Amino acid sequence: MKVNGVSYRSIWLAEDGRRVEIIDQTRLPHEFVVAELSTLAQTSDAIRHMLVRGAPLIGATAAYGFYLGLHDRADDQALEQIAGTLRACRPTAVNLRWAVQRMMAVLTPLPPSERIGAARAEANAICEEDVATNKSIGNHGAGLLREIWEGKGGREPVNILTHCNAGWLATVDWGTALAPVFRAHLDGIPVHVWVDETRPRNQGAHLTAWELVSAGIDHHLIVDNSGGHLMQHGQVDICIVGTDRTAASGDVCNKIGTYLKALAAFDNQVPFYVALPGSTIDWSIRDGLGEIPIEERSQNEVLYVQGLHEGRVEQVRIAPAGTAAANPAFDVTPARLVTGLITERGICGANRDSLLALYPEQA
Ligand code: MRU
């Protein structure tokens, strides 16, 4: 996607081929900063501290973590250590485990001398596939938006509500939930996005809004509690969100607060879609609520907010000293509340049979 007219991905190999460059997402929307990763430690810090975030991008970054880490040592023990370090960075997004497994499957059979080159090639391949996958999600999802637009007589914009950031910054490019929005916009379908601010880290306000401004797409930022009211008043045509882990049953785990939006959508007969690449499906899990590990993050993310004040990015405390906070970062939306899953292979129902019809190799 373009930033000030220049095409960017969220991660890429630097020109010297030895370092990896990322957009530091903790600095957006007020500063656009490219950060360099040249070691495994820098890579795991970038994932843990959310310079990169979003399930697909976490996976792609972990893949490059192998490439960077293997420059120190490339024997079997080093490989296991790299895998362990990366896996421990964040627990919920299954793409991290998926990427680590994929890299291990490619690298383990090779002699150490061939591992660095192979890691680089496989990480590059994961990125290229991610872009193609998300573009395809965009094409499938844009069909839904076109139907809604035509159903409204082709005169009014389609109102989409989204939560967190599942745009291009959360992937290598295009995004998942926002890919249909970008595609529709490019195809001339008028769209308007309700952007949940997404406390505590405000990925909606900081990242989704920034992406939409950059793309010239009409949107309004709303507080997390507005969605139900807007749905009751017919101002939301469709909800589209991303997912960090999708159970084989169709339960989806996404940024905290997604479940409440799904409940409100269900109560108001607003279609609730989840956009995801196949790499986000955890085929080993049948009960999302009972089995998906939920990341618990620092209470400071709740107790403080970050913003621009007199030209400087600052953090301010919003609760009294002595107040403790709880910060579960994700929640699970049961499949019964999900209208459909938008994947790179097409749109399907949120249930095991429909998913298997799209991914028969997992049967
Ligand atoms: O904690 P984050 O910012 O990594 O959470 C991201 C989300 O919840 C996204 O919605 C999800 O990863 C899907 S991204 C395409």
Side-chain angles (χ1 to χ4, degrees):
M1 291 286 159
K2 291 204 164 136
V3 181
N4 296 326
V6 179
S7 287
Y8 277 93
R9 287 184 174 181
S10 60
I11 188 166
W12 62 94
L13 212 48
E15 254 173 38
D16 65 7
R18 177 62 186 85
R19 291 161 301 131
V20 171
E21 294 185 325
I22 56 168
I23 299 168
D24 180 350
Q25 300 191 22
T26 62
R27 309 286 285 272
L28 287 170
H30 306 299
E31 298 167 309
F32 183 80
V33 176
V34 171
E36 280 181 4
L37 309 175
S38 43
T39 64
L40 173 66
Q42 287 172 348
T43 309
S44 56
D45 277 354
I47 298 173
R48 212 182 283 276
H49 300 301
M50 295 177 66
L51 280 71
V52 288
R53 30 65 55 202
L57 179 56
I58 292 172
T61 309
Y64 280 122
F66 277 87
Y67 171 59
L68 298 175
L70 286 168
H71 281 84
D72 294 336
R73 263 177 54 197
D75 54 81
D76 286 1
Q77 201 190 359
L79 209 49
E80 288 295 343
Q81 274 169 1
I82 293 170
T85 301
L86 290 167
R87 253 192 238 110
C89 288
R90 293 193 70 189
T92 301
V94 77
N95 302 59
L96 181 59
R97 193 186 73 193
W98 170 87
V100 168
Q101 266 170 6
R102 177 164 161 173
M103 296 301 285
M104 289 298 275
V106 169
L107 300 174
T108 308
L110 297 177
S113 60
E114 290 177 23
R115 285 178 177 164
I116 293 179
R120 174 181 162 146
E122 196 63 15
N124 286 344
I126 285 176
C127 288
E128 293 308 322
E129 284 169 30
D130 186 65
V131 177
T133 294
N134 299 327
K135 199 169 174 186
S136 179
I137 289 172
N139 291 340
H140 291 298
L144 288 174
L145 301 184
R146 179 176 288 282
E147 270 173 36
I148 293 172
W149 179 54
E150 289 173 354
K152 291 168 84 172
R155 283 179 298 277
E156 294 165 56
V158 181
N159 292 302
I160 302 126
L161 184 142
T162 193
H163 191 68
C164 194
N165 171 263
W168 67 271
L169 289 166
T171 64
V172 179
D173 206 352
W174 280 95
T176 57
L178 285 192
V181 175
F182 291 130
R183 178 77 268 161
H185 178 68
L186 291 171
D187 291 348
I189 299 168
V191 286
H192 165 262
V193 185
W194 297 111
V195 180
D196 278 353
E197 62 176 348
T198 320
R199 279 281 288 150
R201 288 188 68 101
N202 287 326
Q203 288 95 328
H206 293 174
L207 306 176
T208 300
W210 180 81
E211 287 189 24
L212 295 173
V213 167
S214 303
I217 295 176
D218 191 21
H219 63 284
H220 282 89
L221 182 65
I222 51 174
V223 298
D224 291 326
N225 296 327
S226 293
H229 166 80
L230 294 171
M231 291 184 218
Q232 285 175 322
H233 290 271
Q235 290 177 275
V236 180
D237 295 310
I238 184 171
C239 299
I240 312 182
V241 300
T243 165
D244 288 82
R245 196 183 293 224
T246 309
S249 57
D251 296 341
V252 292
C253 182
N254 191 49
K255 181 55 55 193
I256 193 81
T258 301
Y259 169 53
L260 290 177
K261 293 300 136 67
L263 281 174
F266 191 76
D267 195 43
N268 290 282
Q269 296 90 48
V270 172
F272 188 92
Y273 280 89
V274 181
L276 60 127
S279 54
T280 304
I281 306 169
D282 186 340
W283 294 97
S284 71
I285 284 185
R286 279 164 186 262
D287 169 18
L289 197 54
E291 297 177 69
I292 297 178
I294 301 294
E295 179 177 11
E296 189 70 39
R297 291 190 62 86
S298 160
Q299 60 171 334
N300 285 346
E301 293 182 349
V302 180
L303 296 172
Y304 293 81
V305 288
Q306 177 175 304
L308 194 66
H309 177 239
E310 294 181 350
R312 285 179 37 188
V313 175
E314 290 179 2
Q315 288 209 333
V316 292
R317 187 172 171 111
I318 58 166
T323 291
N327 189 11
F330 298 93
D331 60 24
V332 173
T333 299
R336 67 187 163 77
L337 299 177
V338 178
T339 310
L341 304 174
I342 309 170
T343 78
E344 72 277 20
R345 297 193 186 178
I347 299 175
C348 72
N351 59 71
R352 188 173 172 81
D353 289 347
S354 302
L355 274 169
L356 281 175
L358 283 188
Y359 299 91
E361 71 277 16
Q362 300 292 342

